[in-house]
Amino acid sequence: MKKIGMPRGLFYYYYYPLYKTFFSDLGARVILSQKTNRITIDQGIDAAVDETCFPIKVYFGHVKELCQHDLDYLFVPRLVSIEPRSYICPKFMGVPDMLRASIDNLPPLIDITVDLSHSDRAFKDQLFKTGKLFTKKSSRIKASYEHGKQELAYCQAIAAQGYTMSEAIDIWQGEDIDQQLNGSLRIGVLGHGYSLYDEAISMNIISRLRQMGCTVVLPEALSIDEVEQEAAVMPKRIFWTLGRKMVGSALKMEKMADVDGIIYVACFGCGPDSFIGEIIERKVSDKAYMLIVIDEHTGEGGLVTRLEAFCDMLKRRRRHKIEDHISAYG
Amino acid sequence: MSYYLGVDIGSVSSNFVLIDEFSNVLEKIYMRTEGNPVKAVKQGYKELMEKMKGNVNIKGVGTTGSGRHLADIILGADVVKNEITAHAVAASFFHPDARTIIEIGGQDSKMIILQDAIVSDFAMNTVCAAGTGSFLDQQASRLNILIQDFGPAALKSKQPVRIAGRCGVFAESDMIHKQQMGYPIEDILMGLCEALVRNYLNNVGKGKKIEAPVIFQGGVAANAGLKKAFEKILQMEIKVPPYHDVMGAVGAAILAREYIEEHGCASVFKGDAFITEGQFNSSSFECKGCPNMCEVVCIKRDKEALAYWGDRCKMWETSIGHKEVG
């Protein structure tokens, strides 16, 4: 049985069920790296070039971990675009090359290009070519791909019930997750999935809010059409997929009467975030808004103080029923 | 007499106040944390009690500041509150009509917007600590000026020089350049004050509407140069409240009083003997339980472990039934 490694980072949080199903159906054994821990982070920071963002450094750490397994392949798709007329951050395009340049003794990489900006044909071609590494039967490859898409949709439906993508993947894999989904405050939390749902990168922000008695509303729980509709109010279409999703989600949450406040989690080194966080701040005028910038630091004090103060403010505001809302950030 | 104790353990200073049932401040201590919050809590408490000549019955304790959890372990606090809420509570007590609070402390700066004495908006500096107390401290010691003399010296300036305030590193190299060119030191100091104010307004204030009355508090409010720079740039009168340097502690004490009065319960205050007689120590170790290798802190009194924290899985933290940190 061929072993294929998958780093638990970046678009793992959006696509893992698809790839896992695809390769498993083709008879490969998928090896996933562990949840991000200190070793992952230390190794990643060591291996990656300094200018990349923190989530990419963490991804390098996951690759380093997988290198210790005796793998036949390492699956690190080259992400360019996942939908028409929209793109993923350019750093993602370079990830396979950066990996080759900075890590020795890599297993053979499967670095198919994911570019759906015009059509999905090129991507399918490449994926099917990849499938040939495992089977000769085209019908089996096609069936595996279709099955993968179904599983992904199923996992997305789990997330829509209020779970993070990370939890949804765990549930999809058969784990039991008991999550109280009814806190007194409802807070919309936005950010790139690969930083938000990685507990080490986001310093557990979602669990922390839940422990403080908040229900967390995530973009995955919103209808895609409504999000797109809200994002369309921008004078120029935002061509970053995730950025547009965040702006649309923020504007949608602003209109949701049961959402008390919105928090945006940005990465310090993220180019698109430096625009998107700012755009949301300017556009969201009817709800409390806070921008939290995270990076490699492990000091959690500042984060806790801001979250506590934000929750205190929302509670006190609610108690005094201030009609007049002003935006907040920190 | 019955009093409420408020404690604010900040990165640079540790503050202690005692208030009575009407929230009047009876005594205050402002001291340097000097990198040792455990010692600061104990010493500050001792000094406060000496000043009160032991004639004190503490009915409630509130802690705040980045060392609030540590202070809670040693003192036994009824309320452990973040510093934003504590500052807002104190400011709106002294100035019920306050609309804007500028708060600059040792490692962070905040802006709090109040409406009907309730926080309606706040902002805190993000990743940059330029323009906070520790940066001023550092510059003062580089120029061999006592921090207490910084403000009066800056006020002597007639023509402040332009210093880049966007970044602490640039500000420093700008200051060195101007100093080597021979500009008078008071003009450089005032220039620095103005640079910090611009940085604060751009970084923290980011287009927020600053409405009068404006209250300036936190340790840095003692610096008359900065007060003047704020007034010059905002074109408004800036009020520095009498207990500006210990406002966090005052807020914590008021919150403790409110809590005790509301719940009608007895304080969890640990008492004089517990605090003054024991030897408090903190140590840290790397947990080997999983690959996260969390740095766990242990607070001990003599040989007894009082609290652990710093572990992500909370295995240590919950091991001695201590209430959650967070």
Side-chain angles (χ1 to χ4, degrees):
Chain A
M1 194 184 258
K2 283 185 179 165
K3 283 198 283 187
I4 180 161
M6 282 193 207
R8 194 194 286 263
L10 301 182
F11 274 61
Y12 156 83
Y13 295 96
Y14 291 112
Y15 286 111
Y16 178 67
L18 168 65
Y19 296 131
K20 159 94 199 256
T21 311
F22 179 72
F23 288 112
S24 305
D25 280 9
L26 292 176
R29 199 170 130 216
V30 175
I31 311 258
L32 182 65
S33 54
Q34 294 181 44
K35 290 205 167 161
T36 309
N37 56 47
R38 260 244 330 259
I39 300 174
T40 326
I41 294 176
D42 289 350
Q43 288 194 334
I45 291 172
D46 241 21
V49 288
D50 192 49
E51 290 96 278
T52 57
C53 62
F54 188 41
I56 287 191
K57 289 179 188 171
V58 170
Y59 190 77
F60 272 60
H62 285 285
V63 170
K64 282 282 249 189
E65 183 198 319
L66 288 170
C67 286
Q68 291 158 12
H69 294 266
D70 186 22
L71 296 175
D72 294 292
Y73 302 105
L74 183 63
F75 184 65
V76 280
R78 185 189 301 277
L79 279 162
V80 177
S81 159
I82 53 168
E83 56 177 358
R85 297 199 304 133
S86 301
Y87 295 89
I88 301 296
C89 163
K91 281 174 190 153
F92 284 63
M93 264 185 237
V95 165
D97 305 316
M98 286 196 279
L99 285 172
R100 283 198 184 93
S102 32
I103 300 180
D104 296 327
N105 307 322
L106 277 177
L109 296 189
I110 299 180
D111 60 338
I112 57 168
T113 302
V114 181
D115 182 0
L116 311 179
S117 56
H118 298 292
S119 77
D120 62 353
R121 185 169 306 153
F123 167 64
K124 267 192 186 160
D125 283 352
Q126 293 211 18
L127 195 64
F128 284 25
K129 223 178 267 170
T130 308
K132 293 276 191 225
L133 294 170
F134 302 91
T135 178
K136 290 204 167 68
K137 283 190 220 150
S138 297
S139 60
R140 189 171 168 201
I141 299 173
K142 194 156 183 276
S144 305
Y145 175 61
E146 293 302 328
H147 183 203
K149 282 210 292 194
Q150 278 169 19
E151 292 293 336
L152 180 62
Y154 172 58
C155 194
Q156 286 165 340
I158 299 173
Q161 294 167 23
Y163 295 98
T164 69
M165 274 309 277
S166 164
E167 287 164 347
I169 291 172
D170 289 347
I171 295 173
W172 173 74
Q173 290 187 311
E175 266 179 56
D176 248 351
I177 288 189
D178 187 27
Q179 193 53 254
Q180 280 189 320
L181 296 171
N182 43 1
S184 63
L185 282 176
R186 288 176 69 85
I187 299 186
V189 182
L190 304 165
H192 293 171
Y194 45 80
S195 31
L196 196 54
Y197 304 143
D198 184 321
E199 290 180 353
I201 296 180
S202 69
M203 291 192 270
N204 255 333
I205 189 164
I206 291 176
S207 329
R208 278 173 204 278
L209 283 168
R210 284 175 177 162
Q211 273 164 17
M212 289 177 195
C214 305
T215 298
V216 173
V217 183
L218 300 167
E220 280 73 30
L222 306 176
S223 110
I224 295 168
D225 292 341
E226 281 179 337
V227 168
E228 286 292 335
Q229 208 181 331
E230 292 295 337
V233 303
M234 292 301 296
K236 181 174 178 264
R237 187 173 174 278
I238 300 169
F239 53 80
W240 292 301
T241 296
L242 295 178
R244 197 177 61 253
K245 195 169 157 188
M246 294 311 135
V247 170
S249 303
L251 295 177
K252 172 69 195 155
M253 286 172 182
E254 189 191 14
K255 290 186 181 157
M256 289 162 67
D258 60 344
V259 172
D260 296 284
I262 300 171
I263 296 177
Y264 188 84
V265 180
C267 261
F268 181 55
C270 178
D273 265 354
S274 61
F275 289 85
I276 300 300
E278 194 73 26
I279 289 174
I280 296 178
E281 191 177 322
R282 290 178 190 195
K283 291 276 170 194
V284 173
S285 50
D286 274 355
K287 285 249 156 85
Y289 172 72
M290 178 163 75
L291 176 68
I292 286 193
V293 182
I294 49 176
D295 199 23
E296 288 162 29
H297 48 19
T298 51
E300 297 169 344
L303 177 77
V304 173
T305 297
R306 284 168 175 83
L307 293 182
E308 277 181 15
F310 193 69
C311 292
D312 274 355
M313 174 178 81
L314 295 180
K315 279 180 202 155
R316 282 192 174 231
R317 257 197 199 184
R318 198 195 250 181
R319 220 183 293 156
H320 289 77
K321 289 201 181 101
I322 293 182
E323 305 286 292
D324 208 345
H325 298 289
I326 312 169
S327 84
Y329 62 87
Chain B
M1 275 291 279
S2 300
Y3 303 106
Y4 296 91
L5 172 65
V7 178
D8 177 358
I9 307 298
S11 57
V12 175
S13 73
S14 292
N15 316 314
F16 300 78
V17 298
L18 275 180
I19 62 167
D20 64 12
E21 282 108 339
F22 309 101
S23 297
N24 297 312
V25 178
L26 301 169
E27 199 56 75
K28 68 158 197 173
I29 303 262
Y30 175 94
M31 58 187 278
R32 296 251 153 183
T33 309
E34 285 168 345
N36 191 343
V38 177
K39 191 175 142 216
V41 172
K42 203 171 157 177
Q43 197 182 330
Y45 175 81
K46 258 191 189 160
E47 275 179 34
L48 192 65
M49 290 307 126
E50 275 160 24
K51 273 195 173 180
M52 297 301 292
K53 303 202 173 59
N55 186 21
V56 176
N57 169 30
I58 290 179
K59 276 184 81 182
V61 180
T63 64
T64 186
S66 41
R68 59 187 178 276
H69 298 294
L70 201 64
D72 168 34
I73 298 303
I74 299 171
L75 300 170
D78 302 293
V79 174
V80 181
K81 208 49 154 177
N82 65 80
E83 49 271 36
I84 294 171
T85 309
H87 276 119
V89 165
S92 56
F93 176 78
F94 288 106
H95 298 274
D97 57 340
R99 295 298 306 275
T100 311
I101 303 169
I102 295 169
E103 206 276 334
I104 305 185
Q107 69 179 359
D108 49 30
S109 45
K110 319 170 189 79
M111 181 181 283
I112 306 171
I113 310 281
L114 296 169
Q115 208 165 10
D116 306 325
I118 297 294
V119 179
S120 78
D121 195 0
F122 70 89
M124 213 164 159
N125 59 332
T126 48
V127 276
C128 173
T132 58
S134 39
F135 180 66
L136 282 173
D137 254 4
Q138 198 189 324
Q139 291 312 315
S141 77
R142 195 178 61 77
L143 296 168
N144 206 11
I145 296 176
L146 287 173
I147 193 73
Q148 296 88 315
D149 303 336
F150 189 117
L155 287 182
K156 286 188 202 133
S157 161
K158 294 207 176 66
Q159 183 56 54
V161 297
R162 180 96 186 170
I163 306 268
R166 191 77 190 84
C167 164
V169 179
F170 292 154
E172 180 165 344
S173 58
D174 232 11
M175 282 173 72
I176 292 173
H177 171 71
K178 298 266 153 85
Q179 145 206 327
Q180 303 302 67
M181 298 274 288
Y183 288 95
I185 198 145
E186 61 264 24
D187 289 348
I188 296 176
L189 290 177
M190 197 60 203
L192 178 64
C193 291
E194 290 184 2
L196 296 187
V197 169
R198 279 196 306 273
N199 180 44
Y200 173 87
L201 293 175
N202 289 334
N203 226 336
V204 184
K206 266 205 222 164
K208 282 198 193 313
K209 199 152 186 238
I210 296 172
E211 286 182 63
V214 182
I215 311 293
F216 182 21
Q217 57 188 39
V220 174
N223 188 324
L226 265 156
K227 177 175 181 278
K228 191 180 167 198
F230 267 115
E231 284 178 334
K232 180 177 166 192
I233 292 171
L234 287 174
Q235 300 275 310
M236 290 181 184
E237 190 204 344
I238 308 285
K239 285 184 196 162
V240 176
Y243 301 105
H244 67 87
D245 51 347
V246 295
M247 286 298 257
V250 173
I254 295 176
L255 284 164
R257 182 180 67 84
E258 283 178 3
Y259 177 86
I260 295 288
E261 282 172 5
E262 196 180 313
H263 292 79
C265 54
S267 173
V268 296
F269 176 57
K270 300 226 169 128
D272 232 52
F274 182 89
I275 301 161
T276 51
E277 283 164 20
Q279 263 309 320
F280 290 93
N281 285 305
S282 66
S283 57
S284 75
F285 59 91
E286 202 168 70
C287 173
K288 303 269 190 273
C290 78
N292 279 322
M293 299 188 295
C294 298
E295 291 152 2
V296 183
V297 179
C298 175
I299 311 294
K300 276 188 182 159
R301 180 180 183 268
D302 298 327
K303 293 221 165 75
E304 180 202 1
L306 297 175
Y308 292 99
W309 56 65
D311 47 336
R312 271 171 57 190
C313 67
K314 312 279 177 209
M315 176 180 81
W316 291 97
E317 203 174 303
T318 51
S319 64
I320 38 178
H322 171 64
K323 64 188 166 204
E324 195 130 300
V325 173

